[in-house]
Amino acid sequence: MPCEAFFLPSAAGQRFALLYTPEPATKQRGAVVYVHPFGEELNKSRRMAALQARAMASAGYSVLQIDLLGCGDSTGDFGDATWEAWLADVRLACAWLQERTAAPLWLWGLRSGCLLVNEAAQRMPTPVKLLLWQPVLSGKQFLQQFLRLKVAAEMLASDGKGVMERLRSQLRQGEAIEVAGYLLSPALAHGLEQAELLLPHRSGRVEWIEISGRPDASLSPAATARLTQWQAAGQEARGTAVSGPAFWQTTEISECPALLEASLRALSETIPA
């Protein structure tokens, strides 16, 4: 599939982007903006994102992948990133792609990227559809887990008493902290902590896909509860579970073919009434 790499100008520097487009003879079925996960999960998941984007393009979808501010090959340092800046990047990517195709828009997020696409969808002038890969439900809980990397490192060098509270105190006082090689700004930490995967009132349908290491894959209880709540509120939403490795955190770069196939089905199938 044709793939074009370029820099997308923004109000704050440039964002590296990859555009996958269908062959000219292929019917255009939709447009997809991919929002990557946080920190090292971005690097671990690049191959799966590329494989899925190529598969989507083969099926007739234009796919735009963008590196957010301070991530990947985009300008700026990670320490410059804020939650609002990342949301602005998502809106920029959507606007750019919608200027070039009138096809229905999907926002596709992985892990913490799902929190961003959910919030971005709430702010869009018209509803968009959401494809959620292994979504993070609570930004507060995710931030806690991220900070534990720092706690674990400091416990190896000292007794580790009060490390978590000290880190949170530094963030509250406006100090950036370094965690696993990433400089976390107070603004990004605050925005992430406030993010929650809430009922997406401004979206079209929602396709939620989880990966399980078990052969008899099933949705997590948390996913089932959230989807049930959304469906009861009238949201068109469906959950799917597939078997495969948690590629965003495996030691070696890994693939999950079942996820690629399930995602293509999710985009093309309608949800039964």
Side-chain angles (χ1 to χ4, degrees):
M1 287 298 102
C3 177
E4 177 187 358
F6 60 98
F7 283 95
L8 188 60
S10 77
Q14 295 183 314
R15 303 292 174 265
F16 179 74
L18 291 171
L19 177 66
Y20 297 82
T21 53
E23 295 288 355
T26 304
K27 179 183 177 182
Q28 181 83 24
R29 303 177 65 184
V32 183
V33 170
Y34 169 67
V35 181
H36 61 72
F38 191 94
E40 195 58 27
E41 291 186 0
L42 160 62
N43 299 321
K44 295 287 188 179
S45 59
R46 278 200 185 277
R47 177 160 178 77
M48 273 297 293
L51 290 173
Q52 185 68 79
R54 292 191 186 102
M56 288 176 175
S58 295
Y61 296 86
S62 294
V63 184
L64 181 65
Q65 298 182 335
I66 182 172
D67 285 353
L68 304 173
L69 169 64
C71 301
D73 292 314
S74 287
T75 57
D77 297 321
F78 192 87
D80 300 325
T82 68
W83 194 253
E84 285 298 323
W86 281 357
L87 285 169
D89 286 348
V90 176
R91 292 195 297 271
L92 173 69
C94 291
W96 187 91
L97 191 56
Q98 287 182 301
E99 285 176 0
R100 286 153 181 81
T101 175
L105 181 65
W106 284 84
L107 280 174
W108 160 31
L110 169 59
R111 301 280 292 143
S112 58
C114 296
L115 294 172
L116 282 164
V117 302
N118 181 268
E119 191 165 341
Q122 307 280 25
R123 304 185 186 190
M124 297 282 282
T126 56
V128 297
K129 300 174 183 178
L130 302 182
L131 173 63
L132 309 178
W133 272 12
Q134 201 72 25
V136 170
L137 275 63
S138 167
K140 182 176 182 179
Q141 185 179 51
F142 183 85
L143 177 63
Q144 182 85 354
Q145 292 168 348
F146 184 64
L147 292 178
R148 282 180 186 149
L149 297 175
K150 181 74 169 180
V151 173
E154 295 208 7
M155 286 183 71
L156 292 175
S158 64
D159 60 11
K161 290 183 179 179
V163 176
M164 181 64 77
E165 180 53 38
R166 175 170 57 79
L167 293 176
R168 289 192 170 278
S169 176
Q170 286 178 252
L171 290 170
R172 286 194 297 268
Q173 293 171 20
E175 298 178 32
I177 58 174
E178 184 275 327
V179 181
Y182 293 91
L183 187 64
L184 178 67
S185 72
L188 179 56
H190 177 74
L192 177 59
E193 191 168 35
Q194 299 303 308
E196 181 79 19
L197 200 67
L198 301 173
L199 181 67
H201 295 292
R202 296 294 298 164
S203 77
R205 81 172 192 264
V206 176
E207 295 286 352
W208 179 315
I209 307 180
E210 288 191 338
I211 300 92
S212 169
R214 300 174 54 182
D216 56 336
S218 59
L219 288 171
S220 65
T224 300
R226 191 67 56 98
L227 285 165
T228 299
Q229 178 188 36
W230 290 359
Q231 291 161 353
Q235 175 66 43
E236 191 180 12
R238 173 170 54 185
T240 305
V242 299
S243 296
F247 58 87
W248 59 91
Q249 63 182 18
T250 52
T251 303
E252 302 294 331
I253 301 301
S254 56
E255 300 175 12
C256 180
L259 177 60
L260 305 179
E261 297 165 7
S263 297
L264 288 179
R265 288 195 303 270
L267 265 61
S268 62
E269 295 176 354
T270 57
I271 298 178

